[in-house]
Amino acid sequence: MKERTVWVVGMGPGGGLQMTAEAARVLKQCDVIVGYTVYVSLLRELFPEKEYRTTPMCREMERCRMAFEEARGGKTVAMVSGGDAGVYGMSGLMLELSAEYPDCTVRVVPGVTAALAGAAVLGAPLMHDFAVISLSDRMTPWEKIERRLQLAAAADFVICIYNPASRTRADYLRWACDVILKEAEPERICGLVRQIGRDGETARVLTLMELREEPVDMFTTVFIGNSTTRVIDGRMVTPRGYRIR
């Protein structure tokens, strides 16, 4: 009997240019691609011959079950996530639900997450220890997010922030900056990248105090440097310490 496989694929932050060769190979061999509406729209031009199934945001459970049911129907299925499927993506939920579909096999394909792609645009902000924190409180209480920000700043991590704002969370990045300002100086070097790997990509290096006033959205990734991060020829760089050694 043909193996019923659902591939969970990290498609990278943009379109095809930042997609791994393995991800492209898997998507080419799949019959059906399932995903969030925005991400799927980036794939239609690359794979016009595929069948597509989509759901909007906040319907992740439905999306996962849709993928399993397609696989049960005998099709090879790809569930896609922007960036990496294991970083705020769909691989965890797919594996959680796989117990309900013992006749299906879940295989995960990694992708380039926004922290890495955005860092490359800015320069080299992640050369030393760093923490990745999402400001979305849809599933994590703000009190816990605030505590994580506080501890990461106190430990002098570089901090990469996902989901810094939305229509209902317009002030969250400002609040996050206020938490970090208790541990870091206002001149701390920061950066942000919008629409990573897509048309309209923009980047900016700025201070923590300037970042506090910067308008952002869900398609912005934010980088807050550590105490050694500096600007070199307009690029955001966190030294690893090689020259000191």
Side-chain angles (χ1 to χ4, degrees):
M1 184 176 68
K2 180 182 176 182
E3 182 184 70
R4 293 170 173 171
T5 302
V6 181
W7 296 87
V8 189
V9 180
M11 53 177 275
L17 290 179
Q18 292 178 330
M19 184 183 298
T20 67
E22 183 184 8
R25 179 187 63 81
V26 169
L27 292 175
K28 286 177 183 176
Q29 74 180 30
C30 286
D31 304 308
V32 181
I33 296 175
V34 182
Y36 169 46
T37 309
V38 173
Y39 299 147
V40 165
S41 68
L42 298 172
L43 295 176
R44 290 185 185 274
E45 290 187 9
L46 297 175
F47 305 100
E49 75 283 3
K50 303 299 179 182
E51 297 178 48
Y52 289 92
R53 305 286 184 270
T54 66
T55 67
M57 192 177 291
C58 302
R59 289 169 61 180
E60 291 83 2
M61 295 275 283
E62 177 185 343
R63 195 182 311 153
C64 289
R65 291 199 164 93
M66 184 184 295
F68 280 118
E69 292 299 334
E70 290 286 351
R72 277 185 165 176
K75 296 180 179 179
T76 302
V77 181
M79 164 68 77
V80 294
S81 286
D84 179 80
V87 180
Y88 307 117
M90 299 301 294
S91 60
L93 182 56
M94 287 294 293
L95 290 168
E96 287 180 52
L97 292 175
S98 63
E100 300 177 19
Y101 301 88
D103 52 336
C104 296
T105 300
V106 175
R107 300 184 183 276
V108 181
V109 178
V112 179
T113 189
L116 304 181
V121 174
L122 289 169
L126 304 182
M127 282 294 294
H128 218 304
D129 299 338
F130 65 93
V132 179
I133 299 174
S134 170
L135 295 193
S136 173
D137 60 353
R138 189 161 61 90
M139 291 177 285
T140 304
W142 172 255
E143 292 75 20
K144 183 172 287 189
I145 296 171
E146 184 176 17
R147 179 66 169 157
R148 289 171 177 170
L149 290 166
Q150 175 193 355
L151 293 174
D156 202 27
F157 282 98
V158 176
I159 302 173
C160 179
I161 294 179
Y162 282 44
N163 306 315
S166 67
R167 293 174 187 171
T168 59
R169 298 183 294 104
D171 293 327
Y172 277 36
L173 181 59
R174 178 191 291 262
W175 297 345
C177 289
D178 287 341
V179 172
I180 295 168
L181 279 164
K182 295 175 182 177
E183 304 288 345
E185 68 284 359
E187 296 77 25
R188 178 68 57 91
I189 300 301
C190 300
L192 55 83
V193 188
R194 294 184 174 90
Q195 297 289 350
I196 298 171
R198 306 174 190 174
D199 291 340
E201 176 186 277
T202 60
R204 184 182 175 196
V205 177
L206 66 174
T207 67
L208 179 56
M209 187 58 74
E210 290 172 332
L211 178 65
R212 185 180 183 276
E213 306 302 325
E214 186 74 8
V216 294
D217 57 25
M218 288 287 284
F219 298 104
T220 306
T221 305
V222 174
F223 298 79
I224 298 172
N226 69 13
S227 59
T228 69
T229 301
R230 60 182 186 266
V231 179
I232 301 176
D233 293 331
R235 312 296 293 280
M236 183 179 179
V237 179
T238 302
R240 181 74 174 91
Y242 296 112
R243 299 181 68 183
I244 296 173
R245 186 184 66 182

